[in-house]
Amino acid sequence: LHRALSGDVAFLLHRIFMRSISVLGSDKQITKWIPLASQYQLIGSYAQTELGHGTYLQGLETTAVFDITTQEFILNTPKISAMKWWPGDMGRSATHTVVFAQLYVQGKCYGVHPFIVQIRSLQDHSLCPGITAGDIGPKMNFEHIDNGYLMMQNVRVPRENMLNKFCEVQPDGTYVRRGSQKINYFTMTTVRISLISDEVLIPLMKACTIAIRYSVVRRQSKLKPGEEEAKILDYQTQQEKLLPQLAAAYAFHFINDYLQELFDRGYKKIQKKNFDTLPELHAFSSGFKAMVTQHCTSAVEICLRACGGHGYSLLSGLPSLYTKILASCIYEGENTILLLQTARFLIKCFMAASAGQSVPPSVTYLAAVKPGKCPAKNKLDFLSPDIYTEAYQHMAVRLISSTAAKLQDLIQSGVKKHDAWNQCTVQLAQAAKAHCHYITVKNFAETVEKLETKAGIQKIMKHLCDLFALHGIFSNSGVFLHDGYISGAQMDLVTASYLDLLAVIRKDAVPLVDAFDFTDKSLNSALGSYDGQVYHRLYEWAQKSPTNKQMSPAYERYLKPLLHNTPSKL
Amino acid sequence: LHRALSGDVAFLLHRIFMRSISVLGSDKQITKWIPLASQYQLIGSYAQTELGHGTYLQGLETTAVFDITTQEFILNTPKISAMKWWPGDMGRSATHTVVFAQLYVQGKCYGVHPFIVQIRSLQDHSLCPGITAGDIGPKMNFEHIDNGYLMMQNVRVPRENMLNKFCEVQPDGTYVRRGSQKINYFTMTTVRISLISDEVLIPLMKACTIAIRYSVVRRQSKLKPGEEEAKILDYQTQQEKLLPQLAAAYAFHFINDYLQELFDRGYKKIQKKNFDTLPELHAFSSGFKAMVTQHCTSAVEICLRACGGHGYSLLSGLPSLYTKILASCIYEGENTILLLQTARFLIKCFMAASAGQSVPPSVTYLAAVKPGKCPAKNKLDFLSPDIYTEAYQHMAVRLISSTAAKLQDLIQSGVKKHDAWNQCTVQLAQAAKAHCHYITVKNFAETVEKLETKAGIQKIMKHLCDLFALHGIFSNSGVFLHDGYISGAQMDLVTASYLDLLAVIRKDAVPLVDAFDFTDKSLNSALGSYDGQVYHRLYEWAQKSPTNKQMSPAYERYLKPLLHNTPSKL
């Protein structure tokens, strides 16, 4: 159900509320709150972002002052820019929320901490004393989610409501930390990884399904004189729009597995209060969230535009997929900021690796800088995963090392550290993307290799892997040509191989989108949620005026078969 | 008013209806119809696209059969895919439309021709006999426009209703052509040029205005330790998002003047029945429509995302700018198809120029293939328009000539012409874009040179011109590096010069957006339509529920000053 609806349901933040408690709460807190939340005896939200601060969490202005006499925290919104702004499900639904606030004990500020705060009555759902809350207004999508604002005036919660697995205020006001201060942001790390599969990958799969199926039914213009008009998927330009997006959907499906594994390993350690993997997890979850959301957003836009006017009609389902997925580039960490977090980690690892120190296994490649040139001699060589993976690795190392060098040069020439950093940020973001792109290609190639027992699947996955890799080189050719690692003549071979692959994959394209089984049950219901969405829009719209209803027959007779063809008609 | 509202009004197609008659109608037809239309005694539409055919006009299925006995044309929609689909203002508003239909005289088909058809009564606005029409349903934007469908069953119009400046069916059934058959598509050529200024450039200017003004008020995180949080426009990454879009707005403003001049010169000749410039006008209007709409659509998306969550709120005005401008990539010619039209012209000109034949002045550069290398030696050299214009020219010639060579190689190796063309289309589209990019850079540089009497303006326009050119090289570095015209070391100089420029332009950014005077009256009302739009959205949304109204104070007190700051607060 969740795969089919992917985000088109309310109470998404309820899950994040629960995750915060599971990750940051003590066993006692988990025992108290999780059963209540699981049984929907309360509805949770997650109140971090404020009107004045999203990215810069240290700048949050909401305060939580410990009152030793009553053993309570007193929460306040000291000014309007401190108002919580955006939390999902808060405008009218949530009864409770996790509020991030600056903790003060005996006049001393201990930084941002999470507090469970009840905001609405469990009897009549009215706002609790001291609470002002409501909806923040219309957005580009998510009409069904009541993103809200929240202001607090002397709202008191018991001492036990600060999530205290990793830090605690004791009854006498003593502040105790167990582990890294950064653990408070760990909910976001977990959310960034889980949103890839839940909120980003599935919309891309749906968009590919709609656009590719449309392209084998829609005919337009003649490819060969005297013949019937051609299916638009038989045009090279249409293949070049859609098939790389299909390949990307698989690439990100596999990188999601990779991240999940990395996260599970790291989280086991964190539960044992070993925080060593925290920087790596933070860097990877940030960079991949940014790369994948950016790529998938562009991909959905390409799918929409590839369907022409019919794609622009709400009835295709594509516009709402786009306006929703776009938000993923902003929420849970704005992408540029996230890439710079990854870049900071990479630069640090690069310096450490250069100095011979040990670095996490995922970035040991940074130590292995080989000058060399790409050894490919003909276009078939570029279908070798070793050849292209090596090219991506070389490119990532070059971008990271050259930016590290620029940074050092600036600092050595007397520019202050923070100014130097700012002057390198465009290139740092590029370097972080390059790293994520490399890992994605490498992981795709390794995954394909492991499929060897399933020959039919391996063959077509190999084509998609090649396509994903070569599309990346073709469309970012500059970074590969820059130092001559790939020559101009070799780039022509890349282009030839890439364009050849499009024609090869074209004949498997529809089975490949049919494999995105949104229900885990049957191929035919893959478009079930899409159909439902279209009918919903059509119904809503038809209600507006009686004449609007006239259009329905046209939809039934022509548009529906055009947009919702069954796999049998290829 | 039109600049301020840009598209947010109804009856846009009425203008295209009038333009069709002015361009394609005889003097007699103009005398009859234009006064009626000017005084809104009828409301016109333009019915070209059908459910089954948009791009491939020759494939339109609507028929107009000449009945010699009654001196009428009989119009029919022979099947559901022939139903007109998308015409603006047709769902409920239009009383008349220009229908494009296959002309049949005495059993012979003469191809697609335009006919004036009345579809609704001028008395009670009911549908005329034989007409079925209505609204096509909800779209991604344009809620105020009733895009419609139209089916005709034996609808008769008098012989005089075929627009007959360039071709006519005489009473005895003789078909007479005066000039090129392609002139019937000329309305689209004029629309493609005029939409650049009316529907594409102004939304980009508005998006730049909103995003850049926001970025000098919004503060987030610290650039220097111990200081106040920084304006986000002081971050290099934010500059790199927004300032190239600002430069593009100026670049396209100037290319619009260039196209307007080219068009005016050509149109004067066409009115004298000299059709020599038609291919060039068609190629230029197609390619620039595609390049400018694509670039502006991406630019508006960048502006939206650069404002983070506040950009995603409908109250910023950015989401509706985006969902509207996106359509411009599809309507009046899908962009990929248009680029291939331009490419066909360029390949033809390149072959002609190579054979020593004369070609239109705008493409004589294709004959001047110089191998050479870029002579730039330091980063300041890349601020020389000669250096970068030459680089763009070299790159355009290389892409066009290498694609022409691939095409010829394929044909000589026995591949059929149409297959060979299809196998080159990805590269052909790229070559067409390169041509348009080159002309845009060249035209910007020449325009700046002519500003020499206005030194202050010239200086800042020069910066923007440099930024536009270097941003293009930086973000498409592969095509410049490919044959070594620009070396890797020179690309580093480009990057350095480009990043330096961002900091230089940053201090002039707000005055530059203020110069987009949407009312031609005052700077402060530049955001008038934006404010109006925001209030409209907020009002609509507040109507939905009484609790929605609670948010208004937050908007008034915080969001409004944040999003709508006055130029004084920089």
Side-chain angles (χ1 to χ4, degrees):
Chain A
L1 185 69
H2 190 76
R3 276 172 72 81
L5 292 176
S6 74
D8 284 330
V9 283
F11 302 158
L12 289 174
L13 270 287
H14 188 66
R15 295 199 301 159
I16 297 181
F17 173 81
M18 288 173 70
R19 193 173 303 174
S20 300
I21 295 171
S22 310
V23 171
L24 304 177
S26 64
D27 291 344
K28 203 171 150 191
Q29 289 172 323
I30 292 173
T31 309
K32 173 174 178 185
W33 294 102
I34 295 297
L36 290 171
S38 308
Q39 294 160 44
Y40 286 91
Q41 296 191 17
L42 56 82
I43 298 165
S45 179
Y46 181 88
Q48 180 175 297
T49 301
E50 296 173 358
L51 250 181
H53 288 96
T55 289
Y56 183 58
L57 292 182
Q58 292 171 51
L60 292 178
E61 296 171 297
T62 301
T63 56
V65 177
F66 185 58
D67 180 348
I68 198 163
T69 57
T70 63
Q71 295 286 305
E72 289 171 319
F73 294 104
I74 311 167
L75 285 104
N76 268 293
T77 302
K79 48 185 179 162
I80 200 155
S81 58
M83 172 162 51
K84 295 295 174 185
W85 193 265
W86 281 110
D89 306 332
M90 189 145 80
R92 57 169 187 275
S93 311
T95 61
H96 289 67
T97 188
V98 173
V99 171
F100 283 78
Q102 301 285 354
L103 168 67
Y104 285 87
V105 183
Q106 291 164 338
K108 187 178 168 191
C109 181
Y110 289 89
V112 173
H113 287 73
F115 302 84
I116 299 178
V117 178
Q118 180 170 356
I119 61 172
R120 287 188 176 89
S121 160
L122 291 175
Q123 271 67 51
D124 65 1
H125 208 66
S126 64
L127 291 171
C128 292
I131 298 287
T132 309
D135 194 301
I136 61 162
K139 300 140 292 182
M140 200 170 181
N141 195 317
F142 295 90
E143 301 97 338
H144 63 293
I145 303 243
D146 49 316
N147 294 86
Y149 64 91
L150 169 71
M151 284 186 284
M152 291 170 296
Q153 204 176 0
N154 295 321
V155 172
R156 289 174 170 265
V157 299
R159 189 180 65 88
E160 294 74 23
N161 278 27
M162 185 172 109
L163 293 177
N164 61 12
K165 181 178 177 123
F166 299 104
C167 40
E168 191 179 12
V169 177
Q170 292 177 337
D172 66 350
T174 309
Y175 178 82
V176 180
R177 168 166 297 146
R178 292 183 280 270
S180 165
Q181 187 175 10
K182 291 186 172 157
I183 195 70
N184 281 329
Y185 309 135
F186 190 66
T187 307
M188 275 299 110
T189 303
T190 74
V191 170
R192 273 177 208 127
I193 289 176
S194 67
L195 73 83
I196 290 176
S197 66
D198 295 352
E199 293 162 47
V200 180
L201 206 43
I202 293 180
L204 173 59
M205 289 174 173
K206 286 184 178 176
C208 285
T209 304
I210 296 167
I212 290 175
R213 287 181 167 206
Y214 174 76
S215 300
V216 292
V217 182
R218 175 73 169 184
R219 291 173 178 273
Q220 195 80 178
S221 205
K222 298 191 180 186
L223 203 45
K224 291 175 195 177
E227 285 194 1
E228 191 185 5
E229 289 185 53
K231 293 172 179 180
I232 58 175
L233 196 58
D234 290 329
Y235 292 96
Q236 190 189 51
T237 46
Q238 188 77 352
Q239 292 165 7
E240 211 263 329
K241 286 175 192 176
L242 297 178
L243 303 186
Q245 316 320 324
L246 179 65
Y250 281 93
F252 297 145
H253 172 75
F254 295 128
I255 202 68
N256 180 53
D257 292 345
Y258 169 91
L259 290 169
Q260 209 60 58
E261 258 185 58
L262 190 78
F263 176 79
D264 289 345
R265 276 202 309 273
Y267 188 49
K268 275 187 197 130
K269 288 187 189 165
I270 287 168
Q271 284 177 307
K272 292 177 192 150
K273 304 241 161 49
N274 172 349
F275 299 98
D276 293 352
T277 59
L278 212 49
E280 188 189 10
L281 283 183
H282 175 64
F284 272 65
S285 73
S286 298
F288 280 98
K289 183 272 188 184
M291 202 241 333
V292 176
T293 57
Q294 164 66 65
H295 202 120
C296 291
T297 300
S298 305
V300 172
E301 201 215 66
I302 290 168
C303 290
L304 187 156
R305 287 176 47 189
C307 295
H310 292 310
Y312 191 75
S313 163
L314 284 197
L315 303 184
S316 73
L318 292 163
S320 54
L321 287 172
Y322 177 78
T323 53
K324 175 168 281 178
I325 201 172
L326 174 66
S328 71
C329 296
I330 300 167
Y331 62 56
E332 324 307 9
E334 193 277 330
N335 280 355
T336 306
I337 306 297
L338 292 182
L339 287 172
L340 293 177
Q341 299 278 306
T342 308
R344 199 176 282 278
F345 171 79
L346 292 171
I347 295 287
K348 219 178 263 182
C349 291
F350 174 77
M351 306 299 266
S354 307
Q357 294 158 18
S358 81
V359 293
S362 56
V363 289
T364 45
Y365 79 93
L366 291 173
V369 195
K370 297 165 228 159
K373 302 275 174 199
C374 173
K377 294 206 163 44
N378 57 60
K379 68 178 179 176
L380 292 180
D381 287 345
F382 278 106
L383 302 180
S384 152
D386 287 345
I387 296 277
Y388 56 67
T389 306
E390 190 79 21
Y392 273 92
Q393 185 188 89
H394 177 88
M395 180 269 300
V397 172
R398 184 180 64 74
L399 289 174
I400 295 164
S401 63
S402 68
T403 313
K406 177 179 169 186
L407 198 57
Q408 280 204 308
D409 285 354
L410 283 169
I411 293 169
Q412 276 168 9
S413 75
V415 178
K416 284 189 183 143
K417 221 169 166 179
H418 49 265
D419 281 331
W421 179 262
N422 190 29
Q423 287 172 39
C424 292
T425 44
V426 166
Q427 288 149 303
L428 285 163
Q430 200 181 22
K433 259 186 259 178
H435 163 76
C436 295
H437 209 157
Y438 158 57
I439 301 287
T440 307
V441 168
K442 180 163 167 274
N443 179 65
F444 200 165
E446 287 170 359
T447 306
V448 170
E449 211 165 303
K450 285 183 214 139
L451 292 170
E452 60 183 306
T453 49
K454 303 173 189 166
I457 292 175
Q458 190 184 39
K459 188 178 162 203
I460 180 65
M461 282 300 136
K462 168 75 167 55
H463 289 325
L464 288 178
C465 179
D466 295 347
L467 188 73
F468 180 77
L470 297 187
H471 174 256
I473 301 177
F474 175 76
S475 25
N476 303 287
S477 58
V479 288
F480 294 92
L481 289 164
H482 186 281
D483 63 347
Y485 182 81
I486 289 184
S487 69
Q490 285 174 319
M491 196 54 77
D492 290 339
L493 300 175
V494 167
T495 305
S497 246
Y498 168 60
L499 295 177
D500 286 351
L501 267 174
L502 295 174
V504 171
I505 295 171
R506 182 263 174 261
K507 65 177 193 306
D508 292 311
V510 175
L512 283 164
V513 301
D514 287 341
F516 297 144
D517 183 353
F518 296 112
T519 61
D520 295 328
K521 288 284 176 199
S522 85
L523 293 181
N524 280 333
S525 48
L527 282 179
S529 70
Y530 163 56
D531 257 336
Q533 190 179 35
V534 167
Y535 278 114
H536 175 68
R537 296 270 172 204
L538 194 63
Y539 174 80
E540 272 193 340
W541 172 83
Q543 298 314 304
K544 287 190 186 165
S545 127
T547 57
N548 282 352
K549 288 181 188 153
Q550 291 173 5
M551 197 278 281
S552 299
Y555 174 73
E556 282 295 331
R557 284 171 62 191
Y558 188 86
L559 262 188
K560 198 184 163 197
L562 190 69
L563 293 171
H564 307 235
N565 67 303
T566 57
S568 58
K569 297 200 250 159
L570 311 184
Chain B
L1 185 68
H2 190 75
R3 277 173 69 81
L5 292 177
S6 74
D8 285 330
V9 283
F11 301 159
L12 289 174
L13 270 287
H14 188 67
R15 295 199 303 158
I16 297 181
F17 172 82
M18 289 174 70
R19 192 174 303 172
S20 299
I21 295 170
S22 309
V23 171
L24 304 177
S26 63
D27 290 346
K28 204 171 150 190
Q29 289 172 323
I30 291 171
T31 310
K32 174 174 176 187
W33 294 101
I34 295 298
L36 290 171
S38 307
Q39 294 159 43
Y40 286 90
Q41 296 191 17
L42 56 82
I43 298 165
S45 179
Y46 180 87
Q48 181 175 296
T49 300
E50 297 173 356
L51 249 182
H53 288 96
T55 289
Y56 183 60
L57 292 182
Q58 293 171 52
L60 291 179
E61 296 172 295
T62 303
T63 56
V65 176
F66 184 57
D67 180 350
I68 201 163
T69 58
T70 62
Q71 295 287 303
E72 288 172 322
F73 295 105
I74 311 167
L75 284 106
N76 268 294
T77 302
K79 46 184 180 164
I80 201 157
S81 59
M83 172 163 51
K84 295 293 175 187
W85 193 264
W86 281 109
D89 305 334
M90 190 146 80
R92 57 170 187 272
S93 311
T95 61
H96 289 67
T97 188
V98 173
V99 171
F100 283 79
Q102 301 286 356
L103 169 66
Y104 285 87
V105 184
Q106 290 163 338
K108 186 177 167 190
C109 181
Y110 288 90
V112 172
H113 286 73
F115 302 84
I116 299 178
V117 178
Q118 181 171 353
I119 60 171
R120 287 189 178 89
S121 160
L122 291 175
Q123 272 66 51
D124 64 1
H125 208 65
S126 63
L127 291 171
C128 291
I131 298 287
T132 308
D135 194 301
I136 61 162
K139 300 141 291 183
M140 200 170 180
N141 196 318
F142 295 92
E143 301 98 337
H144 61 295
I145 304 241
D146 49 316
N147 293 84
Y149 64 90
L150 169 71
M151 284 187 282
M152 292 171 295
Q153 203 176 0
N154 295 322
V155 172
R156 288 172 171 268
V157 300
R159 189 179 64 87
E160 293 75 21
N161 277 27
M162 184 172 109
L163 293 176
N164 62 11
K165 182 180 177 121
F166 299 105
C167 41
E168 190 180 10
V169 177
Q170 291 178 337
D172 65 353
T174 308
Y175 177 82
V176 180
R177 168 166 298 146
R178 294 181 281 271
S180 165
Q181 186 177 7
K182 292 191 171 152
I183 195 69
N184 281 328
Y185 308 135
F186 191 65
T187 307
M188 274 300 110
T189 303
T190 74
V191 169
R192 273 179 209 127
I193 290 175
S194 67
L195 74 82
I196 291 176
S197 65
D198 295 352
E199 294 162 49
V200 179
L201 206 41
I202 294 180
L204 173 58
M205 290 173 173
K206 286 184 179 176
C208 284
T209 304
I210 296 167
I212 291 175
R213 285 181 169 205
Y214 173 76
S215 300
V216 292
V217 183
R218 175 73 170 186
R219 292 174 177 272
Q220 194 79 180
S221 204
K222 299 193 180 186
L223 204 43
K224 289 173 199 180
E227 285 194 0
E228 191 187 3
E229 289 184 53
K231 294 172 179 182
I232 57 175
L233 196 59
D234 290 330
Y235 291 96
Q236 189 190 49
T237 46
Q238 188 77 352
Q239 292 166 7
E240 210 264 329
K241 286 176 192 176
L242 296 178
L243 302 185
Q245 317 319 324
L246 179 65
Y250 281 92
F252 298 145
H253 172 76
F254 295 128
I255 202 68
N256 179 53
D257 292 346
Y258 168 91
L259 290 170
Q260 208 61 57
E261 257 186 62
L262 189 80
F263 176 79
D264 289 347
R265 276 203 310 274
Y267 189 48
K268 275 188 196 126
K269 289 187 187 166
I270 287 167
Q271 283 178 308
K272 292 175 190 151
K273 304 241 159 52
N274 172 347
F275 299 99
D276 293 352
T277 59
L278 212 48
E280 188 189 9
L281 284 183
H282 175 64
F284 271 65
S285 74
S286 299
F288 279 99
K289 184 273 187 185
M291 201 246 322
V292 176
T293 57
Q294 163 65 65
H295 201 120
C296 291
T297 299
S298 303
V300 171
E301 201 215 66
I302 291 169
C303 289
L304 185 155
R305 286 176 45 189
C307 296
H310 292 311
Y312 191 75
S313 164
L314 284 196
L315 304 182
S316 73
L318 291 164
S320 53
L321 287 171
Y322 176 78
T323 53
K324 176 168 277 176
I325 200 172
L326 174 66
S328 71
C329 298
I330 299 168
Y331 62 57
E332 322 308 8
E334 193 278 328
N335 279 355
T336 305
I337 307 297
L338 292 181
L339 287 171
L340 293 177
Q341 299 280 304
T342 308
R344 200 176 281 279
F345 171 79
L346 291 171
I347 295 288
K348 220 178 260 182
C349 291
F350 174 76
M351 306 299 267
S354 305
Q357 294 158 19
S358 81
V359 293
S362 57
V363 290
T364 45
Y365 79 92
L366 291 174
V369 193
K370 296 166 230 159
K373 301 275 174 199
C374 173
K377 293 209 164 41
N378 57 59
K379 67 177 180 178
L380 291 180
D381 288 344
F382 278 106
L383 302 180
S384 153
D386 287 346
I387 296 278
Y388 56 68
T389 306
E390 190 77 24
Y392 273 91
Q393 186 190 87
H394 177 88
M395 180 267 301
V397 173
R398 184 179 65 74
L399 289 174
I400 294 163
S401 62
S402 68
T403 313
K406 176 180 170 184
L407 198 57
Q408 280 202 309
D409 286 353
L410 283 169
I411 292 168
Q412 276 168 9
S413 75
V415 178
K416 285 191 180 141
K417 222 169 165 178
H418 49 265
D419 281 331
W421 179 262
N422 189 30
Q423 287 172 37
C424 291
T425 44
V426 166
Q427 287 149 304
L428 285 163
Q430 199 182 25
K433 260 187 260 178
H435 163 76
C436 296
H437 209 157
Y438 158 56
I439 301 287
T440 307
V441 168
K442 180 164 167 273
N443 180 65
F444 199 165
E446 287 169 1
T447 307
V448 169
E449 211 164 303
K450 286 183 211 138
L451 292 170
E452 59 182 304
T453 50
K454 304 172 189 166
I457 291 175
Q458 190 183 37
K459 189 178 159 202
I460 180 64
M461 282 299 136
K462 168 75 166 56
H463 289 325
L464 287 179
C465 179
D466 295 346
L467 187 72
F468 180 77
L470 297 187
H471 174 256
I473 301 178
F474 175 75
S475 23
N476 303 286
S477 59
V479 289
F480 294 92
L481 290 165
H482 187 281
D483 64 347
Y485 182 81
I486 289 185
S487 69
Q490 284 174 319
M491 196 53 76
D492 290 337
L493 301 175
V494 168
T495 305
S497 246
Y498 168 60
L499 296 176
D500 285 352
L501 268 173
L502 295 174
V504 171
I505 296 170
R506 182 264 172 263
K507 66 179 189 305
D508 293 309
V510 175
L512 283 164
V513 301
D514 288 340
F516 298 143
D517 183 350
F518 297 111
T519 62
D520 294 330
K521 289 282 175 200
S522 86
L523 293 181
N524 279 333
S525 47
L527 281 179
S529 71
Y530 162 58
D531 257 334
Q533 190 179 35
V534 167
Y535 278 114
H536 175 67
R537 296 270 172 202
L538 195 61
Y539 174 79
E540 272 193 342
W541 171 84
Q543 298 313 303
K544 289 192 188 164
S545 127
T547 57
N548 282 352
K549 287 180 188 155
Q550 292 173 3
M551 197 275 281
S552 298
Y555 175 73
E556 283 297 331
R557 286 172 61 193
Y558 186 86
L559 264 188
K560 199 183 162 196
L562 190 69
L563 294 170
H564 308 233
N565 65 304
T566 56
S568 59
K569 297 202 250 155
L570 311 184

